[in-house]
Amino acid sequence: MTTPQDVETNDALTTVHGSEIDEAVELVAEDIAVTTGTKNAKISNAKLAIWLFLASDFLFFGGFISAYLLYRGRSLEIADAALAEGVEPGKILSDVLDIPFTSATSFILLMSSLTMVLALAAIKRNDMRRTQLWLIATALFGTIFLGGQIFEFTEFVREGFTLTTNLSGTTFFVLTGLHGAHVTVGIFWLMSLMGLSMSGKLTSKDSEKVEIAGLYWHFVDVIWIVIFTLIYLIPVN
Amino acid sequence: MQETNTLTEHSQEHAHRSPAQYVVIAVVLSALTGLEIFLYYVESSINRTLLVFMLLFLAGIKFFLVAAYFMHLKDDPKLFRRWFIIGGVGALIVFTITLVSLNIQDQRFF
């Protein structure tokens, strides 16, 4: 039979150990839930933040891609009307595109995603030499892509397709320029990681820093996959 | 900042792919890019609508491969995948409605 003294003792024990027991039960329940897939694992704030940023940036690019798709046909109609009136029409994108060149730079950007993911795999293995190697390779590929874009822009302008030629030109340069700005930020980000790594401030414990930079870099790559197909490969009908 | 559960983080690391698997995925991506460029050059011998759908389909596969494997959406917590799918599908619906309402069909796309 339970005496009032026993109840008192139990209450005291619960007060002392209750919070620890609750915590342990909570942890076990969470592990079971994560393992069985009924609950998401705890997520770091930094990773959550970069995903939120990427989601908003996705919509941002979506708006610019839509604007280009809307205006490229209209620019063609204006060019046709100018021709009908005997006026020299402004150049349109398909007049100046160099698909083999852009394909090569697109391929380089695609391969930079591979070197980026290899850098992450290397830092997780605590292989800092390979981490640095792959980070440099990624930054180098990004720089080549950017150089290619600058060359392409220069050629387009030289041939008469500029930001102010028509709405197609405006939306094209703004969209691809914006993407180039993202690549530039990515290169600086990678170089700062390289700097940290060379000064010994980046170890396998900081692999999340490389993972977050990687998520941004891959995002820049997936956006280019969409831009390359919609703007370069699907010609105006 | 580093509010991660040690156990789950450990299991996530193991869930990520090996470097050899990443190389295989990159080879597939390269092959798909090659196919896209090939389609661009034979466009005159393919029905226009079919060409557009094929190019979009190939871009979709490339997009999926990078997002699922290089961005680890396939291995990371389901929350990211849900956000990505909801956000992506939502954006696609919103922009499709916008483009259709602004007469994209008149813009010589198909």
Side-chain angles (χ1 to χ4, degrees):
Chain A
M1 192 178 164
T2 313
T3 63
Q5 275 177 332
D6 287 339
V7 172
E8 208 172 287
T9 312
N10 281 339
D11 284 350
L13 280 170
T14 310
T15 312
V16 174
H17 300 292
S19 61
E20 287 174 25
I21 293 165
D22 286 348
E23 205 176 311
V25 167
E26 208 174 289
L27 273 174
V28 170
E30 191 167 311
D31 272 343
I32 292 167
V34 169
T35 313
T36 54
T38 54
K39 188 175 190 283
N40 290 307
K42 277 189 181 172
I43 297 155
S44 83
N45 292 342
K47 212 167 161 182
L48 200 62
I50 189 75
W51 273 106
L52 272 174
F53 167 74
L54 295 184
S56 66
D57 219 22
F58 205 169
L59 287 164
F60 187 61
F61 271 107
F64 282 100
I65 291 170
S66 302
Y68 173 78
L69 293 177
L70 276 171
Y71 286 123
R72 71 175 191 171
R74 283 183 192 161
S75 297
L76 203 66
E77 282 166 15
I78 292 166
D80 287 347
L83 261 180
E85 287 172 16
V87 180
E88 180 67 28
K91 293 263 183 181
I92 57 162
L93 184 63
S94 52
D95 295 336
V96 291
L97 277 183
D98 183 358
I99 293 297
F101 180 78
T102 316
S103 301
T105 55
S106 301
F107 177 74
I108 288 167
L109 190 68
L110 201 60
M111 288 304 103
S112 75
S113 259
L114 171 66
T115 54
M116 186 70 234
V117 83
L118 289 177
L120 178 63
I123 197 170
K124 283 191 169 174
R125 292 193 312 269
N126 205 17
D127 185 347
M128 294 315 293
R129 199 182 62 85
R130 287 221 168 116
T131 304
Q132 289 176 1
L133 176 80
W134 293 128
L135 283 176
I136 286 182
T138 311
L140 185 71
F141 283 171
T143 309
I144 294 171
F145 174 82
L146 207 59
Q149 198 172 40
I150 292 166
F151 172 77
E152 188 183 66
F153 279 11
T154 313
E155 282 296 297
F156 288 177
V157 170
R158 200 177 57 78
E159 289 181 40
F161 182 70
T162 70
L163 189 73
T164 53
T165 303
N166 48 40
L167 280 171
S168 154
T170 307
T171 47
F172 169 80
F173 280 106
V174 170
L175 170 62
T176 51
L178 207 64
H179 181 269
H182 275 71
V183 175
T184 310
V185 170
I187 292 167
F188 280 114
W189 197 340
L190 291 169
M191 294 317 289
S192 71
L193 285 176
M194 263 304 296
L196 284 175
S197 174
M198 287 172 85
S199 60
K201 289 176 186 166
L202 191 74
T203 63
S204 61
K205 284 179 189 168
D206 307 309
S207 66
E208 197 184 69
K209 286 180 183 167
V210 177
E211 189 171 2
I212 287 168
L215 283 173
Y216 175 82
W217 192 262
H218 299 311
F219 168 78
V220 167
D221 188 26
V222 291
I223 288 294
W224 188 255
I225 288 173
V226 176
I227 292 175
F228 181 60
T229 302
L230 286 178
I231 290 164
Y232 287 83
L233 294 180
I234 299 177
V236 179
N237 193 12
Chain B
M1 291 289 277
Q2 303 287 334
E3 291 171 13
T4 46
N5 179 320
T6 317
L7 183 85
T8 50
E9 193 181 64
H10 181 74
S11 59
Q12 277 172 38
E13 279 178 24
H14 279 278
H16 285 185
R17 313 281 148 165
S18 69
Q21 284 173 305
Y22 290 132
V23 173
V24 170
I25 292 160
V27 170
V28 174
L29 285 168
S30 307
L32 291 172
T33 307
L35 189 59
E36 278 181 332
I37 296 160
F38 171 76
L39 284 174
Y40 174 82
Y41 281 107
V42 295
E43 57 142 334
S44 53
S45 54
I46 303 175
N47 175 278
R48 166 84 187 178
T49 309
L50 182 66
L51 174 81
V52 170
F53 277 112
M54 281 168 82
L55 285 170
L56 290 177
F57 179 68
L58 289 172
I61 296 174
K62 283 168 69 180
F63 188 101
F64 168 79
L65 287 174
V66 175
Y69 295 102
F70 288 175
M71 294 174 94
H72 304 121
L73 274 180
K74 214 165 162 55
D75 306 320
D76 270 356
K78 284 181 180 172
L79 180 70
F80 294 142
R81 208 181 314 162
R82 283 189 202 130
W83 278 12
F84 194 77
I85 292 169
I86 291 169
V89 171
L92 203 66
I93 291 169
V94 169
F95 288 121
T96 304
I97 291 168
T98 310
L99 289 172
V100 170
S101 63
L102 291 169
N103 299 323
I104 185 68
Q105 64 272 28
D106 296 339
Q107 305 310 313
R108 306 186 188 194
F109 192 74
F110 290 107

